[in-house]
Amino acid sequence: MSKHLGSKKVTIRTKLILIIVSICTIALLLAGGLFTFVQLQLHRTSMIENLTSVTKITADNLQAAVLFENIDDADRIISELKSDSRIHSAAIYNNDGILFSSFNITADNFPAFYDFSQSDKMAVFSKNFLHLYQPIKLNGKDKLGTLFI
């Protein structure tokens, strides 16, 4: 038995071809979606690792400026981050959560200081932005403040 589509007969061969094409299309769409998802995750992980190393180096360079409350040196050090197109803002907070030094290339305000001392998370994604928090420590021990990028 064959059904009519319009004025043409639909054969078993045509039905099998449609089924095979449909299955291949679905498989390709699923594979493409999975590939895209994996690439986005790898890009996200790579971005976190790269920017985390930048924040660690910058936090190490800020030790003396924060310890001696030298705002000019702190401004100079974090202003070097402006040359990295991935970084839109940076701020240094003291241990009390008070803003010590900052720059912002957008018109947006800095987010409120968030205390990560109870959490192992140093990177947070929100509103398509990656927020990194790096403690500024004296010789890796005593916390002097926090660098936010």
Side-chain angles (χ1 to χ4, degrees), residues 46-79:
S46 173
M47 183 172 53
I48 290 172
E49 289 173 358
N50 289 337
L51 287 175
T52 298
S53 67
V54 169
T55 57
K56 284 181 181 178
I57 292 169
T58 305
D60 288 343
N61 291 338
L62 286 167
Q63 287 178 17
V66 174
L67 180 63
F68 297 113
E69 297 181 1
N70 189 334
I71 294 174
D72 292 334
D73 284 348
D75 286 340
R76 183 183 47 77
I77 292 169
I78 66 167
S79 70

Side-chain angles (χ1 to χ4, degrees), residues 84-116:
D84 191 334
S85 64
R86 300 171 296 179
I87 299 175
H88 294 271
S89 60
I92 303 166
Y93 295 96
N94 66 14
N95 278 336
D96 298 325
I98 298 170
L99 186 64
F100 181 72
S101 178
S102 67
F103 82 83
N104 192 1
I105 63 171
T106 64
D108 300 333
N109 292 327
F110 287 109
F113 180 75
Y114 186 83
D115 182 19
F116 277 91

Side-chain angles (χ1 to χ4, degrees), residues 4-70:
H4 294 281
L5 277 178
S7 62
K8 298 181 180 181
K9 290 184 178 182
V10 179
T11 63
I12 292 177
R13 179 180 180 187
T14 306
K15 289 179 185 178
L16 287 174
I17 290 173
L18 286 173
I19 291 171
I20 291 170
V21 168
S22 298
I23 290 172
C24 289
T25 302
I26 291 170
L28 286 173
L29 287 174
L30 288 173
L34 183 62
F35 177 75
T36 302
F37 176 75
V38 169
Q39 288 300 314
L40 286 173
Q41 291 300 322
L42 288 173
H43 176 68
R44 182 179 183 171
T45 303
S46 173
M47 183 172 53
I48 290 172
E49 289 173 358
N50 289 337
L51 287 175
T52 298
S53 67
V54 169
T55 57
K56 284 181 181 178
I57 292 169
T58 305
D60 288 343
N61 291 338
L62 286 167
Q63 287 178 17
V66 174
L67 180 63
F68 297 113
E69 297 181 1
N70 189 334

